[in-house]
Amino acid sequence: MLYHGTSIGGLEIIRANSKSHTTGKPVAYFAEDRCYALVCCRSRNENFVTMGPDKNGKQHYFERFPDQLRVLYGGKRGYLYILDSTDRLVRGKGNSWESESDVKVHKCEVVADVYSEILKEEQAENLIIHRYAEIDPAEQKAHANRIKEYKETVSEEMKQFYIEHFSALWD
């Protein structure tokens, strides 16, 4: 199964309107991992995904500010649009699949609380969560300061997101 996670309900078509990490062309994205699709169930103004697979394909989520998972996903509804086939899709990077054309939706799983579902994925050992308090303080500070330098290059919405969640952590 392949998943497309979003905070937008009622979709009949997944539009090819994301930029491919491989070709740079517009694509519709799908993930093999349900847990990765869950972290895509967020506001477009909070385009902050800090998750990826290790060399063995196991997903790791790194909190980069205190309570990041709860803040971004707690009490929020998400939608997982599901495909049963990779027909007309091309393998992207990692566990992702891409389509340069729009894709008709076949099934949708409504997720009442995305945070709770992410924690279930952790309990099922599909995901390793590296909580902020567990990360080396020097790494925490270095990451926050990189965000400080980078914040001037992003959209106004993302800049406000960075200020809200990182400014207390900056030098």
Side-chain angles (χ1 to χ4, degrees):
M1 275 201 264
L2 297 177
Y3 303 91
H4 177 89
T6 181
S7 61
I8 303 168
L11 298 179
E12 295 179 10
I13 301 283
I14 304 301
R15 302 259 178 236
N17 61 7
S18 294
K19 185 177 178 181
S20 170
H21 298 301
T22 307
T23 67
K25 295 180 181 179
V27 296
Y29 267 114
F30 298 88
E32 292 176 358
D33 294 309
R34 181 178 182 270
C35 55
Y36 190 85
L38 283 166
V39 302
C40 293
C41 296
R42 54 166 169 61
S43 165
R44 285 187 173 267
N45 295 335
E46 297 173 341
N47 189 15
F48 193 70
V49 176
T50 55
M51 182 169 160
D54 64 15
K55 65 182 179 186
N56 299 316
K58 178 74 122 189
Q59 290 288 350
H60 288 254
Y61 187 98
F62 294 85
E63 285 191 324
R64 296 301 184 186
F65 60 85
D67 293 319
Q68 178 177 321
L69 272 171
R70 185 188 52 73
V71 168
L72 294 180
Y73 303 103
K76 297 190 179 161
R77 180 180 301 266
Y79 301 87
L80 297 179
Y81 295 97
I82 301 167
L83 299 180
D84 293 329
S85 167
T86 59
D87 290 348
R88 298 183 298 145
L89 296 167
V90 175
R91 184 156 235 358
K93 289 186 176 181
N95 296 330
S96 70
W97 290 81
E98 303 176 350
S99 172
E100 289 186 4
S101 58
D102 297 345
V103 177
K104 186 174 177 8
V105 169
H106 296 278
K107 292 188 258 183
C108 178
E109 175 188 351
V110 178
V111 180
D113 183 348
V114 177
Y115 179 62
S116 295
E117 286 299 311
I118 291 171
L119 295 180
K120 287 178 188 174
E121 291 286 343
E122 178 187 33
Q123 289 172 344
E125 298 183 358
N126 295 326
L127 163 69
I128 296 171
I129 298 172
H130 303 270
R131 289 176 171 75
Y132 186 78
E134 300 166 356
I135 295 173
D136 180 296
E139 182 182 339
Q140 293 171 353
K141 183 60 78 177
H143 187 82
N145 285 327
R146 279 193 301 275
I147 294 278
K148 181 181 180 182
E149 294 170 14
Y150 177 72
K151 76 176 175 18
E152 299 302 325
T153 67
V154 299
S155 70
E156 188 58 34
E157 293 89 0
M158 205 60 209
K159 182 178 176 180
Q160 291 308 310
F161 174 87
Y162 288 150
I163 289 169
E164 178 182 350
H165 297 292
F166 288 94
S167 62
L169 308 173
W170 293 334
D171 284 335

